[in-house]
Amino acid sequence: MNVKFLNPFVEAAYMVLESEVGLKAERGEISLNRSAYTADDITVLISLVGQVKGVVLYSMSEATAISIVSAILDQQFEEFDDLAQSGIGELGNVITGQAGQRLASAGIESQISPPTMIIGKGTMVSTLDFQRIVVPLDTDFGPLQIHLALREEGV
Amino acid sequence: MKLQVNILNPFVIAAGEVLSSELGVNIKRGQLRLHRETHISEDITVLISLVGDVWGVVMISLSFETAKAIISRMLGEEVVDFNELAQSGISELGNVISGLAITKLAAAGYHGDISVPTLIVGKGSKISTFDIARIIVPLDTDVGTVSLTLAVKLTPKKTTKASSWQMG
C-alpha cells in the first residue's frame, strides 16, 4: 500500500469539508488494516479505476451525517432521508473527485465510479487482498473515517 | 427512465454463461424487476463498479448456503464455512461475470472498465445506488438463486468533476 495516495485524499477532504460544510477537520492517527471493515451507520463507497485502482470508503455515524447535511443545505434534518443520503453520497463524490484531480496532477490518472451507500451498522465490508489505510478525521460534528484500499497499477 | 436493454443484456448473458459453466447446470432466468427503493442486502453481496461509456454498479447477491455450494462445486471439495477462500472465490465469480460483460459491451461499441470487487457480508443493510434505478435479474441454479442487480446507465456527457456538485 502506497502512502502517496494518502495526502491527496486528506487534503481534498479538508478542503471540501471546509468549503461545503464550513467544518474544520483534524486528522487523527492513521492505521493500516488487513481485516474486513465492520460498517459504521453510514458508508459511502467509491471505486477508482485506472493507474490507481481500488476502493475508497467514507464512514460516519448517522448523527454526524445528519449534522453535515443540515449544514450543507442550511436546513435542519431530523432523519437520514433520501435527500440527506444524496447529500452525503455527493460529499463523498466531490472529495474523491478532488483527490482524483490531485492524483492526476501528480501523473496518476484514474476514473471514479458513481457512489454507492451502505446504511447499516455492523455489516462487513471486505476489500479482499487490498489493505486499508484508515484515516480518522475529527470534526465538531463528530468523527469521520476515510478508508483507502488503493494500489498503483503495474507497479 | 427508458431501459437500455442493449447495455443490460450483456450482463445477464455473461452471468448465465459463467454460472452455467462453473456449476455445470443450466441456469433459469426468473422475472426481471425494476426496483427504485433502497436495496436490502442478502447474506453476501459482491459489488463491482463500472466506469467508461457504461456507468454504474453491478451487484451479485446470494445466501451463505448458495455461496458455499457454488464454491464447493468450483473447488471440487466441500466448503463448510464462508471463509477467506470462499470470500475470494465468490468475489472472483463477480469479477469474471463483470469482465465478460465488459468484453461483450466492447464488442457492441461501449467501452468501459470494471473496478476491483468489494464484498459486503451481512443481511439487512440498505445499499443505495442513488439516482440510478436498478434492474434485478434472478438467476435460478440447482443450489439456489443468485440475484444480479444492475444499476447501470450510459455515461452522461462529460462534465468536470468539480461542477457535479449541485447541492445547496
Side-chain angles (χ1 to χ4, degrees):
Chain A
M1 171 84 208
N2 201 320
V3 179
K4 74 176 157 193
F5 301 133
L6 186 69
N7 281 337
F9 280 92
V10 174
E11 286 165 13
Y14 282 174
M15 195 201 83
V16 173
L17 286 171
E18 176 141 26
S19 66
E20 301 293 344
V21 194
L23 199 55
K24 282 241 186 278
E26 199 163 311
R27 201 187 79 186
E29 195 163 331
I30 290 163
S31 59
L32 182 64
N33 278 270
R34 268 203 59 81
S35 58
Y37 150 70
T38 303
D40 203 337
D41 294 337
I42 291 152
T43 306
V44 179
L45 183 156
I46 297 179
S47 301
L48 271 76
V49 180
Q51 285 173 283
V52 53
K53 67 191 311 184
V55 177
V56 181
L57 307 171
Y58 300 90
S59 60
M60 67 200 81
S61 70
E62 189 173 292
T64 299
I66 287 176
S67 300
I68 287 176
V69 148
S70 300
I72 293 175
L73 295 180
D74 193 22
Q75 150 185 338
Q76 188 56 47
F77 281 76
E78 302 299 333
E79 54 179 338
F80 195 59
D81 60 13
D82 283 355
L83 182 59
Q85 291 174 27
S86 164
I88 294 295
E90 192 56 23
L91 186 73
N93 194 33
V94 174
I95 294 174
T96 312
Q98 287 285 343
Q101 287 181 1
R102 285 171 158 76
L103 286 168
S105 313
I108 305 169
E109 297 287 345
S110 63
Q111 284 180 276
I112 68 171
S113 77
T116 305
M117 180 176 277
I118 304 166
I119 305 172
K121 207 184 175 90
T123 298
M124 192 197 93
V125 181
S126 168
T127 51
L128 302 157
D129 56 338
F130 281 63
Q131 294 189 345
R132 267 181 311 118
I133 288 187
V134 183
V135 187
L137 297 177
D138 282 324
T139 75
D140 284 348
F141 292 161
L144 275 86
Q145 292 83 34
I146 307 177
H147 309 244
L148 304 171
L150 299 172
R151 197 182 278 167
E152 197 166 355
E153 186 71 343
V155 173
Chain B
M1 188 193 76
K2 186 164 162 283
L3 285 183
Q4 285 160 322
V5 176
N6 52 340
I7 63 168
L8 297 174
N9 268 341
F11 290 94
V12 179
I13 294 167
E17 284 177 7
V18 171
L19 284 172
S20 163
S21 99
E22 294 293 350
L23 291 171
V25 294
N26 286 330
I27 307 300
K28 189 171 162 287
R29 202 195 79 187
Q31 197 73 36
L32 302 191
R33 281 180 295 133
L34 176 65
H35 207 248
R36 288 184 186 283
E37 294 82 53
T38 307
H39 177 88
I40 306 293
S41 66
E42 249 284 15
D43 289 339
I44 299 164
T45 307
V46 182
L47 187 153
I48 293 176
S49 302
L50 307 167
V51 297
D53 296 342
V54 178
W55 170 257
V57 176
V58 176
M59 292 187 272
I60 291 159
S61 325
L62 63 177
S63 69
F64 283 125
E65 290 313 311
T66 300
K68 286 188 287 185
I70 290 175
I71 294 301
S72 298
R73 202 169 304 166
M74 282 166 71
L75 296 178
E77 64 180 72
E78 186 71 12
V79 172
V80 182
D81 296 320
F82 191 62
N83 56 19
E84 210 166 303
L85 180 64
Q87 292 174 22
S88 164
I90 286 294
S91 303
E92 187 56 25
L93 190 71
N95 198 32
V96 171
I97 290 172
S98 308
L100 182 59
I102 281 287
T103 307
K104 290 179 189 293
L105 282 168
Y110 301 106
H111 295 276
D113 213 342
I114 57 172
S115 74
V116 296
T118 303
L119 186 69
I120 301 167
V121 181
K123 204 183 174 99
S125 282
K126 294 180 188 166
I127 303 179
S128 167
T129 53
F130 300 100
D131 58 333
I132 310 182
R134 291 183 313 279
I135 308 293
I136 301 177
V137 187
L139 299 164
D140 294 327
T141 76
D142 61 332
V143 289
T145 301
V146 176
S147 293
L148 181 67
T149 301
L150 302 169
V152 297
K153 60 181 185 182
L154 286 172
T155 301
K157 291 278 170 262
K158 287 271 179 246
T159 52
T160 64
K161 278 163 188 156
S163 74
S164 69
W165 178 250
Q166 289 166 342
M167 306 294 298

